[in-house]
Amino acid sequence: MNWGWFEGLLRAVNVYSTAFGRIWLSLVFIFRLLVYLVAAEKVWSDDHKDFDCNTRQPGCTNVCFDHFFPVSHIRLWALQLILVTCPSLLVLLHVAYREAKEERLRETQGDNYRRIYPNPGKKRGGLWWTYLLSLIFKASVDLVFLYIFFRLYRNYTLPRVVKCELPPCPNVVDCFISRPTEKNIFTLFMVVTTCVCVVLNLIEATYLIGKRCHECLNAEGGDSRQSSHDCPVSCANPVGTGEQGFHGADCKPPTATTPLTASCPSTLSKDEAGS
């Protein structure tokens, strides 16, 4: 199988990812994809050929192998890697849609058109939701496959010998798995890297949500400060109360030549100002 498109996809997604997303991409590419291509495929290439049972009964070996290995590790990992990278492809398609929309507006309205997306790759609006949902989907896929592996291969390990008594086997026969220790090592390695990827996805999702909440709080705080600095209505207490209060950064104490008023803007007439 040619995985060149997979490598190109990871490099393209790296442009629009956060720091945690780049770590996830590196982990998937180096510790999952390369290990799968370089070592795992060769280790499992002879799993059926070298699955030996101590009987010559026709069909017994095939039936026992199908019972203990309903789905090969290699095919499950290949399906898992494909499903995990599909959400990243959706993010790229969303960015491409934004760029195409900007290009259409430029062609119809000229170079001085009003840009809808100043930065099409910036995670705002719908792209933010697409990216967040892609993280949740990737973490869910990895968790589902971890459960599948656990159900098919108890404790993610393979025994050296399995006993089979399925027909057409004449009796209980012993079947021997090829390279069980080596396969267990690679299986546990892939399980650990999958767990790390799940944790990184959850951390990145938490980071995105926390960052958005922080930006919203800052925006609300900025609006409230701006409204409070527009013009406080009580720079000084009304004349005749005997007290003077100065509230807000825009209020200044009255001088001897400036009478106190009930509001910040000067309401003195020209005659009063000249006196």
Side-chain angles (χ1 to χ4, degrees):
M1 183 175 181
N2 186 8
W3 291 87
W5 67 272
F6 185 83
E7 179 183 358
L9 175 63
L10 293 181
R11 290 181 178 179
V13 174
N14 189 48
V15 178
Y16 308 108
S17 301
T18 64
F20 298 105
R22 294 187 181 96
I23 297 175
W24 180 87
L25 288 171
S26 301
L27 189 65
V28 170
F29 181 73
I30 297 175
F31 293 101
R32 295 177 69 175
L33 178 61
L34 290 183
V35 170
Y36 173 85
L37 294 176
V38 174
E41 277 190 323
K42 295 181 179 179
V43 172
W44 268 269
S45 61
D46 57 352
D47 54 349
H48 184 270
K49 181 181 64 176
D50 293 339
F51 183 80
D52 294 328
C53 297
N54 57 356
T55 182
R56 295 297 180 181
Q57 179 69 28
C60 179
T61 301
N62 291 334
V63 170
C64 294
F65 181 85
D66 182 71
H67 175 72
F68 291 105
F69 300 96
V71 184
S72 173
H73 288 68
I74 293 300
R75 290 169 179 81
L76 277 177
W77 283 329
L79 181 61
Q80 181 181 4
L81 289 174
I82 292 173
L83 291 178
V84 162
T85 54
C86 283
S88 301
L89 180 61
L90 293 179
V91 174
L92 291 180
L93 292 176
H94 198 150
V95 175
Y97 166 77
R98 284 186 166 189
E99 293 175 347
K101 192 172 183 179
E102 287 287 332
E103 184 64 22
R104 287 195 300 268
L105 288 176
R106 188 183 67 81
E107 293 176 355
T108 56
Q109 301 179 11
D111 294 335
N112 296 326
Y113 72 100
R114 183 176 178 273
R115 296 177 64 90
I116 301 178
Y117 309 109
N119 184 3
K122 192 173 183 64
K123 290 180 283 294
R124 291 292 184 272
L127 183 60
W128 186 86
W129 283 104
T130 301
Y131 195 89
L132 179 64
L133 292 177
S134 71
L135 296 176
I136 298 174
F137 182 82
K138 289 187 289 188
S140 302
V141 168
D142 280 336
L143 289 175
V144 168
F145 274 89
L146 285 175
Y147 176 76
I148 291 174
F149 273 105
F150 181 80
R151 294 291 298 177
L152 293 179
Y153 310 104
R154 184 66 60 180
N155 298 327
Y156 305 108
T157 57
L158 298 176
R160 290 182 172 85
V161 182
V162 293
K163 296 184 179 296
C164 181
E165 54 181 351
L166 298 174
C169 297
N171 48 31
V172 178
V173 298
D174 294 332
C175 297
F176 303 90
I177 301 174
S178 65
R179 304 180 183 180
T181 302
E182 190 175 10
K183 290 179 180 179
N184 286 333
I185 292 174
F186 277 103
T187 301
L188 293 177
F189 178 83
M190 296 295 281
V191 168
V192 170
T193 53
T194 301
C195 293
V196 175
C197 287
V198 172
V199 173
L200 287 175
N201 285 327
L202 296 179
I203 292 176
E204 188 175 9
T206 305
Y207 167 76
L208 287 178
I209 297 174
K211 184 178 179 181
R212 176 54 60 88
C213 294
H214 181 70
E215 291 175 353
C216 293
L217 292 176
N218 286 343
E220 293 178 359
D223 293 340
S224 61
R225 287 193 298 269
Q226 183 178 359
S227 61
S228 63
H229 288 170
D230 285 343
C231 181
V233 296
S234 59
C235 289
N237 290 333
V239 180
T241 59
E243 297 179 356
Q244 297 179 358
F246 308 100
H247 309 287
D250 295 338
C251 300
K252 298 180 181 180
T255 60
T257 59
T258 305
L260 293 176
T261 61
S263 60
C264 285
S266 177
T267 57
L268 298 179
S269 63
K270 293 183 179 179
D271 295 335
E272 291 173 339
S275 61

